[in-house]
């Protein structure tokens, strides 16, 4: 039993080397390592890992097949519930979901479920295993707005049920946040994202890019002119938030959304495109979530000395522990209990630094985390020529403003019930468009629930 308490370590690039390139940080398991890790699973009678997976993957069953070396069967089991396994194996916060409730984690380390899922998905891709099967068409058209995780998951499940599904994507590439938000060193685009989207297409899903729903075509027109019988809105949350402090209009201030889109979607990180990206020599990233880590680690790789500024302590950081660990290994400086009050600039209108104030933690706020409180007379400056705001995002109001009868809340999020039904008959929604910025896997879970609800609605 002792050997089962420690997981098989996963190989990674050396921190000093990877800090200078955009190659994937984690190498993943090979077959021998995967089978050894799978053998740690004790196959619980009550597998809490499954109930804590937002898309309900049959985790013990696929791990058992990995242990036996039946990798193709493991892939088939995963594909029943997850259309993006290579993505999820890389970016899901397993430590707070499936792995967080693993029995082995009580006295030792939980089974590396995410790394095993990634291994199976990567092995399947490299060995040409195709799990996607196109179902006979029932002739009923369903429209999906947005090709991010929620839209792709919803589209996949509906296609498997025989619906004629078309995804409308505003950008020139499908994938949503998988394309524009997550850096290459965490999620390779051509090798992983494009391949998994192709698997969705193989189910018969059509994807139309460069379509701005609310401008190119409206939700009403999808029903009235294009004869779609239901619509799922999975348009994400791409509208960046700022602090509203002096100096945010200076040259050198970016939202993390813009900075990462330039690098990831437009390929500015490679130096082989015409898309400009400016990092200066010293970058301050404001925020403590995964997006802040992505922006900081990208700026570092582009040659800047990088500092993360966060108003709480490391314990309260919302980013994944793995991402914080990697950022520290790579040499990123963390300034905790620090909050900007002004962005400083020169007479030419360019950023020169951040004026900050030291914080201390008070009573818990609505999020359950202790509220940061300013310490009087503790202001100080941080030198920087670029400031990146990674403070979260909200949904773009375009769809809500052009769709009659679609209710939103005070944050601009579409109001939907637990199954994705909105105030507008036949219109469903899920993912970040409903919850605000969250995780890939939660968006996928919402997409799957909505697919089942759409199927139920159309059968009435």
């Amino acid at each position: 039993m002792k050997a089962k308490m420690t997981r098989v370590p996963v190989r990674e690039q050396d921190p000093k080397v990877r800090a200078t390139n955009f190659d994937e940080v984690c190498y993943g398991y090979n077959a021998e390592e995967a089978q050894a890790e799978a053998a740690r699973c004790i196959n619980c009678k009550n597998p809490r890992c499954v109930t804590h997976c937002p898309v309900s993957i049959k985790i013990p069953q696929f791990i058992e097949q990995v242990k036996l070396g039946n990798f193709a069967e493991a892939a088939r089991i995963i594909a029943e519930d997850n259309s993006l396994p290579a993505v999820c194996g890389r970016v899901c916060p397993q430590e707070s979901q499936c792995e967080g409730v693993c029995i082995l984690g009580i006295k030792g380390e939980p089974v590396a479920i995410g790394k095993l899922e990634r291994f199976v998905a990567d092995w399947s891709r490299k060995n040409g295993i195709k799990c996607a099967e196109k179902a006979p068409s029932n002739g009923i058209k369903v429209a999906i707005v947005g090709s991010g995780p929620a839209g792709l998951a919803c589209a996949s499940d509906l296609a498997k049920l025989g619906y004629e599904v078309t995804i409308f994507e505003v950008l020139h590439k499908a994938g949503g946040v998988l394309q524009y938000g997550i850096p290459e060193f965490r999620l390779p685009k051509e090798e992983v994202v494009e391949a998994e989207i192709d698997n969705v297409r193989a189910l018969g899903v059509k994807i139309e890019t460069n379509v701005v729903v609310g401008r190119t075509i409206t939700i009403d027109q999808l029903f009235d002119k294009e004869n779609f019988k239901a619509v799922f809105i999975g348009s994400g949350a791409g509208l960046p938030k700022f602090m509203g402090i002096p100096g945010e209009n200076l040259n050198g201030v970016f939202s993390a959304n813009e900075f990462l889109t330039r690098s990831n979607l437009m390929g500015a990180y490679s130096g082989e495109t015409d898309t400009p990206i400016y990092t200066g020599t010293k970058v301050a990233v404001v925020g403590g979530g995964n997006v802040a880590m992505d922006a900081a680690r990208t700026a570092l790789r582009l040659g800047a000395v990088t500092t993360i500024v966060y108003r709480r302590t490391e314990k309260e950081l919302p980013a994944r522990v793995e991402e914080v660990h990697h950022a520290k290994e790579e040499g990123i400086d963390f300034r905790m209990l620090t909050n900007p009050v002004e962005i400083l600039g020169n007479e030419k209108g360019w950023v020169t630094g951040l004026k900050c104030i030291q914080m201390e933690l008070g009573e818990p706020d609505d999020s359950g985390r202790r509220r940061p409180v300013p310490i009087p007379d503790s202001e100080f400056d941080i030198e920087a020529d670029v400031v990146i705001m990674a403070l979260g995002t909200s949904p773009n109001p375009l769809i809500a403003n052009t769709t009659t009868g679609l209710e939103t809340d005070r944050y601009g999020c579409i109001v939907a019930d637990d199954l994705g039904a909105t105030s507008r008959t036949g219109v469903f929604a899920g993912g970040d468009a409903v919850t605000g910025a969250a995780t890939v896997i939660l968006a996928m879970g919402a997409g799957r629930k909505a697919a089942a609800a759409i199927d139920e609605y159309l059968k009435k």
Side-chain angles (χ1 to χ4, degrees):
M1 190 68 179
K2 205 169 188 179
K4 286 192 174 184
M5 290 297 99
T6 304
R7 62 170 54 177
V8 176
V10 67
R11 293 163 290 115
E12 297 176 344
Q13 275 199 76
D14 180 86
K16 291 182 179 178
V17 175
R18 71 180 190 239
T20 64
N21 66 56
F22 280 81
D23 297 336
E24 191 168 13
V25 168
C26 180
Y27 293 130
Y29 285 146
N30 59 30
E32 183 180 354
E33 292 165 338
Q35 287 184 267
E37 180 61 23
R40 295 181 61 232
C41 178
I42 59 175
N43 210 354
C44 304
K45 290 183 179 179
N46 178 26
R48 295 170 66 198
C49 54
V50 177
T51 59
H52 282 71
C53 171
V55 295
S56 303
I57 295 171
K58 301 172 187 68
I59 293 170
Q61 289 92 324
F62 99 73
I63 288 180
E64 177 68 15
Q65 296 305 315
V66 173
K67 182 178 76 173
L68 297 173
N70 298 332
F71 304 143
E73 178 61 14
R76 187 196 64 76
I77 293 170
I78 293 172
E80 291 177 359
D81 303 295
N82 189 355
S83 53
L84 306 171
V87 169
C88 292
R90 286 167 165 83
V91 303
C92 274
Q94 291 97 1
E95 66 277 5
S96 61
Q97 294 173 162
C98 54
E99 293 178 15
V101 295
C102 176
I103 294 298
L104 292 186
I106 296 174
K107 293 185 177 180
E109 293 181 310
V111 174
I113 298 168
K115 297 295 188 289
L116 291 174
E117 181 183 26
R118 169 189 166 160
F119 164 76
V120 172
D122 288 354
W123 182 91
S124 299
R125 183 181 66 252
K126 292 170 183 174
N127 286 274
I129 303 298
K130 300 294 183 183
C131 298
E133 293 183 11
K134 188 174 180 180
S137 173
N138 61 17
I140 302 173
K141 295 171 63 177
V142 178
I144 309 287
V145 182
S147 65
L152 291 169
C154 186
S156 297
D157 279 13
L158 288 170
K160 290 174 184 176
L161 294 169
Y163 291 98
E164 294 185 4
V165 183
T166 302
I167 297 176
F168 297 98
E169 167 57 43
V170 66
L171 298 173
H172 64 283
K173 285 185 179 180
V177 70
L178 307 177
Q179 286 282 10
Y180 72 77
I182 304 175
E184 187 78 9
F185 55 82
R186 279 219 294 142
L187 185 63
K189 302 297 173 281
E190 186 173 343
E191 181 184 3
V192 175
V193 177
E194 297 285 357
E196 299 222 308
I197 291 172
D198 283 344
N199 289 339
V200 174
R201 286 192 177 99
L203 293 169
V205 175
K206 299 175 184 176
I207 302 178
E208 295 188 20
T209 56
N210 299 307
V211 178
V212 184
V213 174
R215 283 287 182 270
T216 312
I217 193 168
T218 65
I219 299 289
D220 291 332
Q221 289 170 337
L222 288 174
F223 283 111
D224 299 338
K225 294 186 177 181
E226 300 296 329
N227 202 32
F228 286 97
K229 301 303 181 185
V231 175
F232 174 76
I233 302 172
S235 50
L239 197 63
K241 297 178 182 178
F242 288 86
M243 293 185 70
I245 59 176
E248 282 187 320
N249 289 327
L250 288 167
N251 295 315
V253 180
F254 299 92
S255 69
N257 229 35
E258 177 188 349
F259 184 77
L260 290 171
T261 298
R262 285 176 178 273
S263 179
N264 303 333
L265 179 68
M266 305 307 294
Y269 76 89
S270 67
E272 298 174 0
T273 69
D274 294 331
T275 301
I277 191 166
Y278 177 67
T279 58
T281 58
K282 294 181 179 179
V283 172
V285 179
V286 182
N290 289 324
V291 174
M293 300 303 140
D294 287 343
R297 297 173 70 195
T298 296
L300 179 81
R301 284 161 169 77
L302 291 171
V305 175
T306 307
T307 301
I308 285 178
V309 178
Y310 183 60
R311 61 182 184 159
R312 291 184 168 94
T313 70
E314 184 173 338
K315 182 181 177 182
E316 286 81 28
L317 280 169
R320 294 186 67 191
V321 172
E322 181 179 58
E323 300 309 317
V324 175
H325 171 68
H326 283 158
K328 285 186 170 183
E329 279 189 329
E330 291 164 8
I332 289 170
D333 183 32
F334 283 72
R335 301 293 293 266
M336 300 288 101
L337 290 170
T338 300
N339 201 40
V341 294
E342 182 182 355
I343 301 173
L344 306 173
N346 59 25
E347 65 282 356
K348 294 183 179 179
W350 286 88
V351 171
T352 59
L354 266 184
K355 183 178 182 180
C356 300
I357 190 167
Q358 291 182 344
M359 312 292 281
E360 60 184 358
L361 295 183
E363 296 301 313
D365 61 15
D366 293 340
S367 71
R369 296 178 297 174
R370 293 174 64 191
R371 186 187 304 276
V373 179
I375 299 174
D377 302 319
S378 64
E379 290 87 353
F380 65 99
D381 295 346
I382 295 175
E383 190 177 342
D385 41 22
V386 166
V387 174
I388 299 173
M389 294 294 188
L391 304 168
T393 54
S394 59
N396 189 307
L398 178 61
I399 291 175
N401 290 344
T402 57
T403 305
T404 54
L406 188 64
E407 183 184 351
T408 58
D409 64 18
R410 62 193 180 100
Y411 302 106
C413 297
I414 297 170
V415 175
D417 66 19
D418 290 342
L419 299 178
T422 71
S423 57
R424 171 75 182 269
T425 301
V427 177
F428 298 76
D432 292 2
V434 170
T435 61
T439 64
V440 167
I441 193 65
L442 287 176
M444 291 181 66
R448 294 203 71 199
K449 286 182 180 178
I454 290 169
D455 180 48
E456 189 71 24
Y457 164 76
L458 293 173
K459 284 179 177 176
K460 289 181 180 178

